[in-house]
Coordinates of all heavy atoms in Angstrom, one line a residue:
M754 N 11.8 -12.6 42.3 CA 11.4 -12.1 41.1 C 11.0 -13.3 40.3 O 11.5 -14.3 40.3 CB 12.5 -11.4 40.4 CG 12.9 -10.0 41.1 SD 13.2 -8.8 39.8 CE 14.4 -9.7 38.7
K755 N 9.9 -13.0 39.5 CA 9.4 -14.0 38.6 C 9.3 -13.4 37.2 O 8.9 -12.3 37.0 CB 8.0 -14.4 39.0 CG 8.0 -15.1 40.3 CD 8.4 -16.6 40.2 CE 8.1 -17.3 41.6 NZ 8.6 -18.6 41.5
R756 N 9.7 -14.2 36.2 CA 9.5 -13.8 34.8 C 8.1 -13.9 34.4 O 7.5 -15.0 34.7 CB 10.4 -14.6 33.9 CG 10.5 -13.9 32.4 CD 11.3 -14.6 31.5 NE 10.7 -15.9 31.2 CZ 11.1 -16.7 30.2 NH1 12.2 -16.5 29.6 NH2 10.5 -17.9 29.9
L757 N 7.6 -12.8 34.0 CA 6.1 -12.8 33.6 C 5.9 -13.2 32.1 O 5.2 -14.1 31.8 CB 5.6 -11.4 33.9 CG 4.1 -11.3 33.8 CD1 3.4 -12.2 34.9 CD2 3.7 -9.8 34.2
I758 N 6.6 -12.4 31.2 CA 6.4 -12.6 29.8 C 7.8 -12.4 29.1 O 8.6 -11.8 29.5 CB 5.4 -11.7 29.2 CG1 5.8 -10.1 29.2 CG2 4.0 -12.0 29.7 CD1 5.0 -9.3 28.4
S759 N 7.9 -13.0 27.9 CA 8.9 -12.5 27.0 C 8.2 -12.3 25.6 O 7.3 -13.0 25.3 CB 10.1 -13.5 26.9 OG 9.6 -14.7 26.4
H760 N 8.7 -11.3 24.9 CA 8.0 -11.0 23.8 C 9.0 -10.2 22.8 O 9.9 -9.5 23.3 CB 6.8 -10.0 24.0 CG 5.8 -9.8 23.0 ND1 6.0 -9.0 21.9 CD2 4.6 -10.4 22.8 CE1 5.0 -9.1 21.0 NE2 4.1 -9.9 21.6
E761 N 8.9 -10.5 21.6 CA 9.8 -10.0 20.6 C 9.6 -8.5 20.5 O 10.5 -7.8 20.0 CB 9.6 -10.6 19.1 CG 8.4 -10.3 18.4 CD 7.2 -11.2 18.7 OE1 7.3 -12.0 19.7 OE2 6.3 -11.2 17.9
S762 N 8.5 -7.9 20.8 CA 8.2 -6.5 20.7 C 8.5 -5.8 22.1 O 7.8 -5.9 23.1 CB 6.7 -6.1 20.3 OG 6.5 -4.9 20.4
L763 N 9.5 -4.9 22.0 CA 9.8 -4.2 23.3 C 8.7 -3.2 23.6 O 8.4 -2.9 24.7 CB 11.1 -3.3 23.1 CG 11.6 -2.6 24.3 CD1 11.8 -3.5 25.5 CD2 12.9 -1.9 24.1
A764 N 8.0 -2.8 22.6 CA 6.8 -1.8 22.7 C 5.8 -2.6 23.5 O 5.1 -2.0 24.4 CB 6.3 -1.3 21.5
H765 N 5.6 -3.8 23.1 CA 4.5 -4.6 23.8 C 4.9 -4.8 25.2 O 4.1 -4.7 26.2 CB 4.4 -6.0 23.1 CG 3.4 -6.8 23.9 ND1 2.1 -6.7 23.7 CD2 3.6 -7.9 24.7 CE1 1.5 -7.7 24.3 NE2 2.4 -8.4 25.0
V766 N 6.1 -5.2 25.5 CA 6.6 -5.4 26.9 C 6.4 -4.1 27.7 O 6.0 -4.1 28.8 CB 8.1 -5.8 26.9 CG1 8.7 -5.9 28.3 CG2 8.2 -7.3 26.4
G767 N 6.8 -3.0 27.1 CA 6.7 -1.7 27.8 C 5.3 -1.3 28.1 O 4.9 -0.8 29.2
H768 N 4.3 -1.7 27.2 CA 3.0 -1.4 27.4 C 2.4 -2.3 28.6 O 1.7 -1.7 29.4 CB 2.2 -1.8 26.1 CG 0.6 -1.6 26.2 ND1 0.0 -0.5 26.3 CD2 -0.3 -2.6 26.2 CE1 -1.2 -0.6 26.5 NE2 -1.5 -2.0 26.4
V769 N 2.8 -3.5 28.6 CA 2.4 -4.3 29.7 C 3.0 -3.8 31.1 O 2.3 -3.8 32.1 CB 2.8 -5.8 29.4 CG1 2.5 -6.6 30.7 CG2 2.1 -6.4 28.2
R770 N 4.3 -3.4 31.1 CA 4.8 -2.9 32.3 C 4.1 -1.6 32.7 O 3.8 -1.5 33.9 CB 6.2 -2.4 31.9 CG 7.0 -1.9 33.2 CD 8.4 -1.5 33.0 NE 8.3 -0.4 32.0 CZ 9.5 0.2 31.4 NH1 10.7 -0.2 31.8 NH2 9.4 1.2 30.6
N771 N 3.7 -0.7 31.8 CA 2.9 0.4 32.2 C 1.5 0.0 33.0 O 1.1 0.6 33.9 CB 2.5 1.3 31.0 CG 3.7 2.0 30.5 OD1 4.7 2.1 31.3 ND2 3.7 2.5 29.3
L772 N 0.9 -1.0 32.2 CA -0.3 -1.4 32.8 C -0.2 -2.0 34.2 O -0.9 -1.7 35.1 CB -0.8 -2.7 31.9 CG -2.1 -3.3 32.2 CD1 -3.3 -2.5 31.6 CD2 -2.1 -4.7 31.8
L773 N 0.9 -2.8 34.4 CA 1.1 -3.4 35.7 C 1.4 -2.3 36.8 O 0.9 -2.3 37.9 CB 2.2 -4.3 35.6 CG 1.9 -5.6 34.8 CD1 3.1 -6.6 34.8 CD2 0.6 -6.3 35.1
E774 N 2.3 -1.3 36.3 CA 2.7 -0.4 37.3 C 1.4 0.6 37.7 O 1.5 1.1 38.8 CB 3.8 0.5 36.7 CG 5.1 -0.3 36.7 CD 6.3 0.5 36.1 OE1 6.1 1.5 35.4 OE2 7.4 0.0 36.4
Q775 N 0.6 0.8 36.7 CA -0.7 1.5 37.1 C -1.6 0.7 38.1 O -2.2 1.3 38.8 CB -1.5 1.7 35.8 CG -1.0 2.9 34.9 CD -1.7 2.9 33.5 OE1 -2.7 2.2 33.4 NE2 -1.1 3.5 32.6
S776 N -1.3 -0.5 38.2 CA -2.0 -1.4 39.1 C -1.3 -1.6 40.3 O -1.5 -2.4 41.1 CB -2.4 -2.6 38.5 OG -3.2 -2.5 37.3
G777 N -0.1 -0.9 40.5 CA 0.7 -1.0 41.6 C 1.6 -2.2 41.8 O 2.1 -2.5 42.8
I778 N 1.8 -2.9 40.6 CA 2.7 -4.0 40.6 C 4.1 -3.5 40.1 O 4.3 -3.1 38.9 CB 2.1 -5.1 39.7 CG1 0.9 -5.6 40.3 CG2 3.2 -6.2 39.5 CD1 0.1 -6.6 39.4
A779 N 5.2 -3.7 41.0 CA 6.5 -3.4 40.6 C 7.1 -4.3 39.6 O 6.9 -5.5 39.9 CB 7.3 -3.3 41.9
C780 N 7.6 -3.9 38.5 CA 8.1 -4.9 37.5 C 9.4 -4.3 36.8 O 9.5 -3.0 37.0 CB 7.1 -5.2 36.6 SG 6.1 -3.9 35.8
L781 N 10.1 -5.0 36.1 CA 11.2 -4.4 35.3 C 11.4 -5.3 34.1 O 10.9 -6.4 33.9 CB 12.5 -4.4 36.3 CG 13.1 -5.7 36.9 CD1 13.9 -6.4 35.8 CD2 13.9 -5.5 38.0
V782 N 12.1 -4.5 33.2 CA 12.3 -5.2 31.8 C 13.7 -5.7 31.7 O 14.7 -4.9 32.2 CB 12.0 -4.1 30.8 CG1 12.3 -4.6 29.3 CG2 10.6 -3.7 30.8
K783 N 13.9 -6.8 31.3 CA 15.3 -7.3 31.0 C 15.4 -7.4 29.4 O 14.5 -7.6 28.7 CB 15.5 -8.7 31.7 CG 15.6 -8.5 33.2 CD 16.1 -9.9 33.7 CE 16.2 -9.9 35.2 NZ 16.7 -11.1 35.8
N784 N 16.7 -7.4 29.1 CA 17.0 -7.6 27.6 C 16.4 -6.4 26.8 O 16.0 -6.6 25.8 CB 16.5 -8.9 27.0 CG 17.2 -10.0 27.8 OD1 18.2 -9.9 28.3 ND2 16.6 -11.2 27.6
E785 N 16.4 -5.3 27.5 CA 15.8 -4.0 26.9 C 16.7 -3.6 25.7 O 16.1 -3.0 24.7 CB 15.7 -3.0 28.0 CG 14.7 -1.8 27.6 CD 14.3 -1.0 28.6 OE1 14.8 -1.2 29.9 OE2 13.6 -0.1 28.5
Q786 N 18.0 -3.7 25.8 CA 18.8 -3.3 24.8 C 19.1 -4.4 23.8 O 20.1 -5.2 23.9 CB 20.3 -2.9 25.5 CG 20.0 -1.8 26.6 CD 19.4 -0.5 26.1 OE1 19.7 -0.2 24.9 NE2 18.6 0.2 26.8
L787 N 18.3 -4.5 22.8 CA 18.4 -5.4 21.7 C 19.4 -4.7 20.7 O 19.1 -3.6 20.3 CB 17.1 -5.8 21.1 CG 16.4 -7.0 21.8 CD1 15.2 -7.3 21.0 CD2 17.3 -8.2 22.0
S788 N 20.4 -5.3 20.3 CA 21.3 -4.6 19.3 C 21.9 -5.8 18.5 O 21.8 -6.9 18.7 CB 22.4 -3.8 20.1 OG 23.2 -4.7 20.8
G789 N 22.7 -5.3 17.5 CA 23.4 -6.3 16.7 C 24.6 -6.8 17.6 O 24.8 -6.4 18.7
G790 N 25.4 -7.8 16.9 CA 26.5 -8.2 17.6 C 26.1 -9.1 18.7 O 26.9 -9.2 19.7
L791 N 25.0 -9.8 18.6 CA 24.7 -10.8 19.7 C 25.5 -12.0 19.6 O 25.5 -12.8 20.6 CB 23.2 -11.1 19.6 CG 22.3 -9.9 19.9 CD1 20.8 -10.2 19.6 CD2 22.4 -9.5 21.3
G792 N 26.1 -12.2 18.4 CA 27.1 -13.3 18.4 C 26.4 -14.6 18.5 O 25.5 -14.9 17.7
E793 N 26.9 -15.4 19.4 CA 26.4 -16.8 19.5 C 25.1 -17.0 20.4 O 24.6 -18.0 20.4 CB 27.5 -17.7 20.2 CG 28.8 -17.6 19.5 CD 28.7 -18.3 17.9 OE1 28.1 -19.3 17.9 OE2 29.1 -17.6 17.0
I794 N 24.6 -15.9 20.9 CA 23.5 -16.0 21.8 C 22.3 -16.3 21.0 O 21.9 -15.6 20.0 CB 23.3 -14.8 22.5 CG1 24.5 -14.4 23.3 CG2 22.1 -14.9 23.6 CD1 24.4 -13.0 24.0
P795 N 21.6 -17.4 21.1 CA 20.4 -17.7 20.5 C 19.4 -16.5 20.6 O 19.2 -15.9 21.7 CB 19.8 -18.9 21.1 CG 21.0 -19.5 21.9 CD 21.8 -18.4 22.1
F796 N 18.7 -16.3 19.5 CA 17.8 -15.1 19.6 C 16.8 -15.1 20.6 O 16.5 -14.1 21.2 CB 17.1 -14.9 18.2 CG 16.2 -13.9 18.0 CD1 16.6 -12.5 18.1 CD2 14.7 -14.0 17.9 CE1 15.7 -11.4 18.0 CE2 13.8 -13.0 17.8 CZ 14.3 -11.7 17.9
L797 N 16.2 -16.3 20.7 CA 15.0 -16.4 21.7 C 15.5 -16.1 23.2 O 14.7 -15.6 24.0 CB 14.5 -17.8 21.8 CG 13.5 -18.1 20.5 CD1 13.1 -19.6 20.5 CD2 12.3 -17.2 20.6
E798 N 16.7 -16.3 23.4 CA 17.2 -15.9 24.8 C 17.4 -14.4 24.9 O 17.7 -14.0 26.1 CB 18.5 -16.7 25.1 CG 18.2 -18.1 25.3 CD 19.4 -18.9 25.7 OE1 20.4 -18.3 26.1 OE2 19.4 -20.1 25.7
C799 N 17.2 -13.7 23.9 CA 17.5 -12.2 23.9 C 16.2 -11.4 23.8 O 16.3 -10.2 23.7 CB 18.4 -11.9 22.7 SG 20.0 -12.6 22.9
L800 N 15.1 -12.1 23.8 CA 13.8 -11.3 23.8 C 13.7 -10.5 25.0 O 14.1 -11.0 26.1 CB 12.7 -12.3 23.6 CG 12.5 -13.1 22.4 CD1 11.3 -14.0 22.5 CD2 12.4 -12.1 21.1
P801 N 13.0 -9.3 24.9 CA 12.8 -8.5 26.0 C 11.8 -9.3 26.9 O 10.9 -10.0 26.4 CB 12.0 -7.3 25.5 CG 12.5 -7.2 24.0 CD 12.7 -8.7 23.6
E802 N 12.2 -9.2 28.2 CA 11.4 -10.0 29.2 C 10.8 -8.9 30.2 O 11.5 -8.0 30.6 CB 12.3 -10.9 29.9 CG 12.8 -12.0 29.0 CD 13.8 -13.0 29.7 OE1 14.3 -12.6 30.8 OE2 14.0 -14.0 29.2
L803 N 9.7 -9.3 30.7 CA 9.1 -8.5 31.9 C 9.0 -9.4 33.0 O 8.5 -10.5 33.1 CB 7.7 -8.1 31.5 CG 7.0 -7.0 32.4 CD1 7.9 -5.8 32.4 CD2 5.7 -6.7 31.9
W804 N 9.6 -8.9 34.2 CA 9.6 -9.6 35.4 C 8.8 -8.8 36.5 O 9.0 -7.7 36.6 CB 11.1 -9.7 35.9 CG 12.0 -10.6 35.1 CD1 12.3 -10.4 33.8 CD2 12.6 -11.8 35.5 NE1 13.1 -11.5 33.3 CE2 13.4 -12.3 34.3 CE3 12.6 -12.5 36.7 CZ2 14.1 -13.5 34.5 CZ3 13.3 -13.7 36.7 CH2 14.0 -14.2 35.6
V805 N 8.2 -9.6 37.4 CA 7.6 -8.9 38.5 C 8.6 -9.0 39.7 O 9.2 -10.0 39.9 CB 6.2 -9.5 38.9 CG1 5.2 -9.3 37.8 CG2 6.4 -11.0 39.1
V806 N 8.6 -7.9 40.4 CA 9.7 -7.9 41.5 C 9.3 -8.7 42.6 O 10.1 -9.5 43.2 CB 9.9 -6.5 41.9 CG1 10.8 -6.3 43.1 CG2 10.4 -5.5 40.7
K807 N 8.0 -8.7 43.0 CA 7.5 -9.5 44.2 C 6.9 -10.7 43.5 O 5.9 -10.7 42.9 CB 6.6 -8.7 45.0 CG 7.2 -7.7 45.8 CD 6.2 -7.1 46.9 CE 5.2 -6.2 46.2 NZ 4.3 -5.6 47.2
D808 N 7.3 -11.9 44.0 CA 6.7 -13.1 43.5 C 5.2 -13.1 43.8 O 4.4 -13.7 43.1 CB 7.3 -14.3 44.4 CG 8.8 -14.5 44.0 OD1 9.3 -13.7 43.2 OD2 9.4 -15.5 44.3
S809 N 4.8 -12.5 44.9 CA 3.4 -12.6 45.3 C 2.5 -11.8 44.3 O 1.2 -11.9 44.4 CB 3.2 -12.0 46.8 OG 3.7 -10.6 46.8
D810 N 3.0 -11.0 43.4 CA 2.3 -10.2 42.5 C 2.1 -11.0 41.2 O 1.4 -10.5 40.3 CB 3.0 -8.9 42.1 CG 2.9 -7.8 43.2 OD1 1.8 -7.9 44.0 OD2 3.7 -6.9 43.1
L811 N 2.7 -12.2 41.1 CA 2.7 -12.8 39.8 C 1.4 -13.1 39.4 O 1.0 -12.9 38.2 CB 3.7 -14.1 39.8 CG 3.8 -14.9 38.6 CD1 4.4 -14.1 37.6 CD2 4.4 -16.2 38.8
A812 N 0.6 -13.8 40.2 CA -0.8 -14.3 39.8 C -1.7 -13.2 39.3 O -2.4 -13.2 38.3 CB -1.5 -15.1 40.9
R813 N -1.5 -12.0 40.1 CA -2.4 -10.9 39.7 C -1.9 -10.2 38.4 O -2.7 -9.8 37.5 CB -2.3 -9.8 40.9 CG -3.3 -8.7 40.8 CD -3.4 -7.9 42.1 NE -3.5 -6.6 41.9 CZ -2.6 -5.7 42.2 NH1 -1.5 -6.1 42.9 NH2 -2.7 -4.4 42.0
A814 N -0.5 -10.2 38.2 CA -0.1 -9.7 37.0 C -0.5 -10.6 35.8 O -0.9 -10.0 34.7 CB 1.5 -9.7 37.0
Q815 N -0.4 -11.8 36.0 CA -1.0 -12.7 34.8 C -2.4 -12.5 34.6 O -2.8 -12.5 33.5 CB -0.6 -14.2 35.3 CG 0.8 -14.6 35.2 CD 1.1 -15.9 35.8 OE1 0.4 -16.4 36.8 NE2 2.1 -16.6 35.4
A816 N -3.2 -12.3 35.6 CA -4.6 -12.0 35.4 C -4.8 -10.7 34.6 O -5.6 -10.7 33.7 CB -5.3 -11.9 36.8
L817 N -4.1 -9.7 35.0 CA -4.1 -8.4 34.3 C -3.8 -8.6 32.9 O -4.4 -8.0 32.0 CB -3.2 -7.4 35.0 CG -3.7 -6.8 36.3 CD1 -2.6 -6.1 37.0 CD2 -4.8 -5.9 36.1
I818 N -2.7 -9.3 32.5 CA -2.4 -9.5 31.2 C -3.5 -10.3 30.4 O -3.7 -10.0 29.2 CB -1.0 -10.3 31.1 CG1 0.1 -9.3 31.6 CG2 -0.7 -10.8 29.7 CD1 1.4 -10.1 31.7
R819 N -3.9 -11.3 31.0 CA -5.0 -12.0 30.4 C -6.2 -11.1 30.0 O -6.8 -11.2 28.9 CB -5.5 -13.2 31.4 CG -6.0 -14.4 30.6 CD -5.9 -15.7 31.5 NE -6.5 -15.4 32.8 CZ -5.7 -15.7 33.9 NH1 -4.5 -16.2 33.8 NH2 -6.1 -15.5 35.1
D820 N -6.5 -10.3 30.9 CA -7.6 -9.3 30.7 C -7.3 -8.3 29.6 O -8.1 -8.1 28.8 CB -7.8 -8.5 32.0 CG -9.0 -8.9 32.7 OD1 -9.3 -10.1 32.7 OD2 -9.7 -8.0 33.2
M821 N -6.0 -7.9 29.6 CA -5.6 -7.0 28.5 C -5.7 -7.6 27.2 O -6.2 -7.0 26.2 CB -4.1 -6.6 28.8 CG -3.7 -5.5 27.9 SD -1.9 -5.2 28.1 CE -1.3 -6.7 27.3
E822 N -5.3 -9.0 27.1 CA -5.4 -9.6 25.8 C -6.9 -9.8 25.3 O -7.2 -9.6 24.2 CB -4.6 -10.9 26.0 CG -3.1 -10.7 26.0 CD -2.4 -11.9 26.3 OE1 -3.0 -12.9 26.8 OE2 -1.2 -12.0 26.1
Q823 N -7.7 -10.1 26.4 CA -9.1 -10.3 25.9 C -9.8 -9.1 25.5 O -10.8 -9.1 24.8 CB -9.8 -10.8 27.2 CG -9.5 -12.4 27.4 CD -10.0 -13.0 28.7 OE1 -10.6 -12.2 29.5 NE2 -9.9 -14.2 29.0
T824 N -9.3 -7.8 26.1 CA -9.9 -6.6 25.8 C -9.1 -5.8 24.7 O -9.3 -4.8 24.5 CB -10.1 -5.7 26.9 OG1 -8.8 -5.5 27.5 CG2 -11.0 -6.4 28.0
A825 N -8.2 -6.6 24.0 CA -7.3 -5.9 23.0 C -8.1 -5.4 21.9 O -9.2 -5.9 21.6 CB -6.3 -6.9 22.5
A826 N -7.6 -4.4 21.3 CA -8.3 -3.8 20.1 C -8.7 -4.8 19.1 O -7.9 -5.6 18.9 CB -7.5 -2.6 19.7
P827 N -9.7 -4.6 18.3 CA -10.6 -3.5 18.4 C -11.6 -3.7 19.6 O -12.1 -4.8 19.8 CB -11.4 -3.5 17.2 CG -11.3 -4.9 16.7 CD -10.0 -5.4 17.2
R828 N -11.7 -2.8 20.4 CA -12.6 -2.8 21.6 C -14.1 -2.7 21.1 O -14.4 -1.9 20.4 CB -12.3 -1.7 22.6 CG -11.1 -2.1 23.5 CD -10.7 -0.8 24.2 NE -11.7 -0.4 25.2 CZ -11.7 -0.8 26.5 NH1 -10.8 -1.5 26.9 NH2 -12.7 -0.4 27.4
G829 N -14.8 -3.6 21.7 CA -16.2 -3.4 21.6 C -16.8 -2.8 22.8 O -16.1 -2.5 23.8
P830 N -18.1 -2.7 22.9 CA -18.7 -2.3 24.1 C -18.5 -3.2 25.2 O -18.3 -4.4 25.0 CB -20.3 -2.3 23.8 CG -20.3 -2.3 22.3 CD -19.1 -2.9 21.8
W831 N -18.3 -2.7 26.4 CA -18.1 -3.6 27.6 C -19.0 -3.2 28.7 O -19.6 -2.2 28.7 CB -16.7 -3.4 28.0 CG -16.3 -2.0 28.4 CD1 -15.9 -1.1 27.4 CD2 -16.2 -1.4 29.7 NE1 -15.6 0.1 28.2 CE2 -15.8 -0.1 29.5 CE3 -16.4 -1.8 30.9 CZ2 -15.7 0.9 30.6 CZ3 -16.3 -1.0 32.0 CH2 -15.9 0.3 31.8
R832 N -19.2 -4.2 29.6 CA -20.2 -4.0 30.7 C -19.4 -3.8 32.0 O -18.4 -4.5 32.3 CB -21.1 -5.3 30.8 CG -22.3 -5.1 31.8 CD -23.2 -6.3 31.7 NE -23.9 -6.2 30.4 CZ -25.0 -5.4 30.2 NH1 -25.5 -4.6 31.1 NH2 -25.5 -5.3 28.9
C833 N -19.8 -2.8 32.8 CA -19.0 -2.4 33.9 C -19.3 -3.5 34.9 O -20.3 -4.1 35.1 CB -19.7 -1.1 34.5 SG -18.9 -0.7 36.1
R834 N -18.1 -4.0 35.6 CA -18.2 -5.0 36.6 C -18.8 -4.6 37.9 O -19.2 -5.3 38.7 CB -16.7 -5.5 36.8 CG -16.3 -6.3 35.7 CD -14.8 -6.6 35.8 NE -14.0 -7.1 34.6 CZ -14.1 -8.4 34.3 NH1 -14.5 -9.3 35.1 NH2 -13.5 -8.8 33.2
R835 N -18.8 -3.3 38.2 CA -19.3 -2.7 39.4 C -20.8 -2.5 39.4 O -21.5 -3.0 40.2 CB -18.6 -1.5 39.8 CG -18.9 -1.0 41.2 CD -18.4 0.3 41.5 NE -16.9 0.4 41.6 CZ -16.3 1.4 41.8 NH1 -16.8 2.7 41.8 NH2 -15.0 1.5 41.8
C836 N -21.3 -1.8 38.3 CA -22.7 -1.4 38.4 C -23.4 -2.1 37.2 O -24.7 -1.9 37.2 CB -22.8 0.2 38.2 SG -22.4 0.8 36.6
G837 N -22.7 -2.8 36.3 CA -23.4 -3.5 35.2 C -23.8 -2.5 34.0 O -24.5 -3.0 33.1
E838 N -23.4 -1.3 34.1 CA -23.7 -0.4 32.9 C -22.9 -0.7 31.7 O -21.9 -1.2 31.7 CB -23.4 1.0 33.4 CG -23.9 2.1 32.4 CD -25.4 2.1 32.2 OE1 -26.0 2.2 33.3 OE2 -25.8 2.0 31.1
S839 N -23.6 -0.5 30.5 CA -22.9 -0.8 29.3 C -22.1 0.5 28.9 O -22.6 1.5 29.0 CB -23.9 -1.1 28.2 OG -24.5 -2.4 28.4
N840 N -20.9 0.3 28.4 CA -20.1 1.4 28.0 C -19.5 1.1 26.6 O -19.3 0.0 26.2 CB -18.9 1.6 29.0 CG -19.3 2.0 30.4 OD1 -19.5 3.0 30.6 ND2 -19.6 0.9 31.2
E841 N -19.3 2.2 25.9 CA -18.7 2.1 24.5 C -17.3 1.7 24.7 O -16.6 2.1 25.7 CB -18.9 3.4 23.8 CG -20.3 3.9 23.5 CD -21.0 2.8 22.6 OE1 -20.2 2.3 21.7 OE2 -22.1 2.5 22.7
G842 N -16.7 1.1 23.7 CA -15.4 0.6 23.8 C -14.3 1.6 23.9 O -13.3 1.4 24.5
Q843 N -14.5 2.9 23.5 CA -13.5 3.8 23.6 C -13.3 4.4 25.0 O -12.3 5.1 25.4 CB -13.7 5.1 22.6 CG -14.9 5.9 22.9 CD -16.1 5.5 22.2 OE1 -16.4 4.4 22.0 NE2 -17.0 6.4 21.8
F844 N -14.2 4.1 25.9 CA -14.1 4.5 27.3 C -13.4 3.6 28.1 O -13.8 2.4 28.2 CB -15.5 4.9 27.9 CG -16.2 6.0 27.1 CD1 -17.5 5.7 26.5 CD2 -15.7 7.3 27.1 CE1 -18.1 6.7 25.8 CE2 -16.4 8.3 26.4 CZ -17.6 8.0 25.7
A845 N -12.4 4.0 28.9 CA -11.7 3.1 29.7 C -12.2 2.9 31.1 O -11.9 2.1 31.8 CB -10.1 3.5 29.8
A846 N -13.1 3.8 31.3 CA -13.8 3.8 32.7 C -15.3 3.9 32.5 O -15.8 4.6 31.6 CB -13.2 4.9 33.6
C847 N -16.1 3.4 33.5 CA -17.5 3.4 33.4 C -18.0 4.9 33.5 O -17.7 5.7 34.4 CB -18.0 2.6 34.5 SG -19.8 2.6 34.6
W848 N -18.9 5.3 32.6 CA -19.4 6.7 32.6 C -20.3 6.7 33.7 O -20.6 7.9 34.2 CB -20.0 7.0 31.2 CG -21.3 6.3 30.9 CD1 -21.4 5.1 30.2 CD2 -22.7 6.5 31.4 NE1 -22.6 4.7 30.2 CE2 -23.4 5.4 30.8 CE3 -23.2 7.5 32.2 CZ2 -24.8 5.5 31.0 CZ3 -24.6 7.6 32.3 CH2 -25.4 6.5 31.8
Q849 N -20.9 5.7 34.3 CA -21.9 5.7 35.2 C -21.3 5.8 36.6 O -21.7 6.7 37.4 CB -22.8 4.4 35.2 CG -23.8 4.3 36.3 CD -25.1 5.0 36.0 OE1 -25.2 5.6 35.0 NE2 -26.0 4.9 36.9
C850 N -20.4 5.0 36.9 CA -19.9 4.9 38.3 C -18.3 5.3 38.4 O -17.8 5.4 39.4 CB -20.1 3.7 38.9 SG -19.2 2.2 38.3
G851 N -17.6 5.3 37.1 CA -16.2 5.7 37.2 C -15.4 4.6 37.4 O -14.1 4.7 37.4
A852 N -15.8 3.2 37.5 CA -15.0 2.1 37.7 C -14.2 1.9 36.4 O -14.7 2.0 35.4 CB -15.8 0.9 38.0
A853 N -13.0 1.5 36.6 CA -12.2 1.2 35.4 C -12.5 -0.1 34.9 O -13.0 -1.0 35.5 CB -10.6 1.1 35.8
D854 N -12.3 -0.3 33.5 CA -12.6 -1.5 32.9 C -11.5 -2.5 33.1 O -10.5 -2.7 32.4 CB -12.8 -1.4 31.3 CG -13.0 -2.6 30.6 OD1 -13.5 -3.6 31.2 OD2 -12.7 -2.6 29.4
E855 N -11.7 -3.3 34.2 CA -10.7 -4.2 34.6 C -11.3 -5.3 35.4 O -12.4 -5.1 36.0 CB -9.5 -3.5 35.4 CG -9.9 -2.9 36.6 CD -8.8 -2.1 37.3 OE1 -7.9 -1.8 36.6 OE2 -8.9 -2.0 38.5
S856 N -10.6 -6.4 35.6 CA -11.3 -7.4 36.3 C -10.9 -7.2 37.8 O -9.9 -6.6 38.1 CB -10.7 -8.8 35.9 OG -9.3 -9.0 36.3
G857 N -11.8 -7.7 38.7 CA -11.6 -7.4 40.1 C -11.1 -8.5 40.9 O -10.9 -9.6 40.8
Ligands
ZN1243 ZN1 -20.1 1.3 36.5

């Protein structure tokens, strides 16, 4: 297992996990239960973390996250990587050929 990200927002970590699982990358969240009474534990060590189960998925997962950050809202028009068609930002898949807006 490899740690992929840590982030103060569990919602963000969950969002990334969904993205990766949709792409067939098995992953899991650690430190999901943030609560009071952390005592002496430094806050930074308690951030929610996302781990990829298979080390071999790490590079692909990092690329997906990079892509996600680059295409983060507000979305503008994007160009399909498969057929080159221009698509409006609100469409997650190409209207022309159906390819998802993701790097290949
Ligand atoms: Zn297309």
Side-chain angles (χ1 to χ4, degrees):
M754 292 221 307
K755 295 280 191 190
R756 192 180 70 173
L757 190 58
I758 59 168
S759 64
H760 197 279
E761 70 269 18
S762 165
L763 183 59
H765 176 83
V766 172
H768 178 71
V769 174
R770 181 182 61 182
N771 288 341
L772 178 88
L773 298 183
E774 288 183 342
Q775 282 167 16
S776 300
I778 297 175
C780 48
L781 61 85
V782 176
K783 291 190 177 184
N784 299 340
E785 197 164 0
Q786 304 297 328
L787 278 183
S788 63
L791 292 174
E793 302 296 316
I794 305 171
F796 177 68
L797 281 176
E798 292 184 9
C799 299
L800 289 178
E802 297 176 342
L803 188 65
W804 292 63
V805 293
V806 174
K807 285 192 293 185
D808 292 8
S809 56
D810 281 337
L811 182 65
R813 194 161 137 248
Q815 287 171 331
L817 284 167
I818 289 174
R819 209 158 43 234
D820 255 38
M821 185 190 74
E822 287 169 348
Q823 283 169 358
T824 59
R828 276 169 69 92
W831 55 280
R832 188 169 293 278
C833 177
R834 292 171 188 269
R835 186 190 291 173
C836 73
E838 188 59 56
S839 291
N840 293 276
E841 294 298 325
Q843 70 266 31
F844 297 117
C847 175
W848 65 268
Q849 175 83 359
C850 72
D854 178 22
E855 62 185 23
S856 71

